[in-house]
Amino acid sequence: MHHTESYNRHDEWYKTHFPSESAKTVFYERAIATGKNNVAFWLQKLFFNCIDPLLAKKKQRWLTIGDAYGFDAQYILSSGNSVLATDLNTDFLNIALKRGIIDACVAENAEKLTQEDNSFDFVLCKESYHHFPRPYAAMYEMIRVAKQGVIVIEPQDPVIKMPLLLMLSNLLNRNAHFLNKLWNNRFSFEPVGNFVYKVSEREFEKLAAGLGLPLIGFKKINPNYWFKGADLVSTKRYSKQFFFIRLKKFILDVLVRIKAMPSQVLATVIFKQLPDECTIALLKKNGYHLVHIPQNPYLD
């Protein structure tokens, strides 16, 4: 089956780029040596800031999905919450465990989690959902094992937010070849064979309404400025490179704010139960737009 082949190819990618335990260990040593005052860490912090409102309460139990290196779990641990790090392959995670970066890990297929229903307060899926062969299967599994909610932080599908492109797509629908040339990433596929599945607000609203879930939070961010060597560019003194990254990000942030452009990434919190007022206030302060899903009037 296609999804099985995809998983095998993912494994092959890791084995090709990090063939030995020593190669994986060097990867962690470099990450520790470069520290936090660099562009790579600064960009990752833009992602992690999205979960800060949910980390305010301590001693909650989290699950990370597709957390290949354990860095998502590391951030959650640093907040005083417990976390189980998971990925298809735990070769990296076991080294992270040995080095004290994480304190628990297990191999998991996101489409068929072995965890019990409602066994984690929150499930975090960061920059992995668009790699899944069957993302909807994984989404239902994450919702199943979460007690309070699921956080998905993924590239946003820009089409629904760009009326002109949507109109062109409708006008040129009969000429699919020309449309695909004009819109060259309409159907994007990874080398491992998966369709690159970008997300949208509307699809999550429909998902929540269909499952009878009460609330969704959306936050738009623009963190896609990574480049090879970003971990070596300091943010302590404003280098020319860092200055231009901040400038480009500032311009895009303004365009997103005035709704002239869609954001690069969408952070989505799908709540299984209504959070308390303190959490709602923290989400709003953090930049989240909350959408209350009305109850189905035809259900008791």
Side-chain angles (χ1 to χ4, degrees):
M1 289 178 72
H2 162 66
H3 61 280
T4 304
E5 180 64 21
S6 164
Y7 295 145
N8 292 338
R9 288 181 180 181
H10 270 293
D11 268 351
E12 287 168 13
W13 185 93
Y14 283 112
K15 286 172 185 173
T16 300
H17 289 79
F18 303 97
S20 64
E21 183 171 332
S22 62
K24 296 178 180 70
T25 302
V26 167
F27 170 84
Y28 284 112
E29 286 173 350
R30 174 172 171 162
I32 293 165
T34 52
K36 298 181 178 181
N37 298 312
N38 60 76
V39 170
F41 185 86
W42 178 77
L43 292 172
Q44 273 299 297
K45 194 68 170 66
L46 297 176
F47 285 95
F48 288 137
N49 285 346
C50 296
I51 63 172
D52 284 346
L54 305 174
L55 294 174
K57 289 183 181 177
K58 309 306 174 189
K59 298 183 180 178
Q60 295 188 108
R61 194 165 185 236
W62 284 67
L63 178 73
T64 59
I65 301 290
D67 190 3
Y69 309 114
F71 295 142
D72 300 352
Q74 181 186 38
Y75 186 81
I76 293 166
L77 272 175
S78 70
S79 73
N81 289 279
S82 67
V83 58
L84 176 63
T86 77
D87 193 40
L88 265 175
N89 185 309
T90 56
D91 288 351
F92 262 109
L93 289 177
N94 285 326
I95 295 172
L97 190 64
K98 287 178 188 175
R99 299 189 69 90
I101 292 168
I102 59 174
D103 62 8
C105 68
V106 68
E108 286 283 3
N109 179 341
E111 296 179 2
K112 197 173 182 180
L113 297 173
T114 62
Q115 309 301 316
E116 297 290 329
D117 294 2
N118 304 309
S119 53
F120 297 89
D121 290 289
F122 289 102
V123 177
L124 172 64
C125 181
K126 171 183 157 288
E127 300 179 277
S128 294
Y129 189 77
H130 68 283
H131 294 307
F132 296 155
R134 301 183 301 184
Y136 280 128
M139 175 57 73
Y140 287 120
E141 279 293 273
M142 291 188 286
I143 289 173
R144 177 183 66 79
V145 304
K147 183 162 57 178
Q148 296 189 53
V150 173
I151 303 95
V152 177
I153 308 176
E154 292 295 324
Q156 181 173 207
D157 188 339
V159 180
I160 201 166
K161 294 291 183 182
M162 297 179 74
L164 183 60
L165 187 53
L166 192 57
M167 184 176 71
L168 273 173
S169 127
N170 290 332
L171 286 172
L172 298 172
N173 201 35
R174 291 186 179 181
N175 193 337
H177 179 70
F178 181 69
L179 179 60
N180 290 342
K181 272 197 164 186
L182 183 68
W183 177 9
N184 61 13
N185 67 342
R186 183 187 184 193
F187 299 110
S188 298
F189 297 93
E190 297 179 307
V192 296
N194 294 339
F195 172 67
V196 179
Y197 196 97
K198 295 182 178 181
V199 301
S200 71
E201 293 175 41
R202 182 59 183 154
E203 70 183 277
F204 287 132
E205 288 175 355
K206 291 189 292 184
L207 175 81
L211 294 177
L213 305 180
L215 183 71
I216 302 184
F218 296 114
K219 181 180 179 181
K220 300 163 187 174
I221 59 172
N222 297 305
N224 293 349
Y225 299 100
W226 186 88
F227 55 92
K228 191 173 182 180
D231 57 336
L232 302 176
V233 177
S234 174
T235 56
K236 267 190 172 180
R237 289 186 288 272
Y238 273 51
S239 67
K240 196 173 185 181
Q241 207 165 6
F242 185 43
F243 171 79
F244 280 112
I245 290 171
R246 286 179 65 95
L247 180 61
K248 285 189 285 187
K249 182 183 179 305
F250 172 77
I251 293 168
L252 187 51
D253 285 347
V254 171
L255 291 172
V256 170
R257 202 172 300 123
I258 64 174
K259 300 184 178 177
M261 288 284 290
S263 65
Q264 296 169 335
V265 169
L266 185 67
T268 305
V269 186
I270 305 165
F271 285 99
K272 286 182 74 174
Q273 56 185 11
L274 279 173
D276 57 35
E277 288 301 320
C278 178
T279 302
I280 286 176
L282 287 173
L283 286 164
K284 288 180 177 177
K285 186 178 179 182
N286 192 266
Y288 276 90
H289 165 62
L290 302 181
V291 179
H292 290 266
I293 308 298
Q295 286 187 334
N296 187 335
Y298 300 104
L299 296 178
D300 294 334

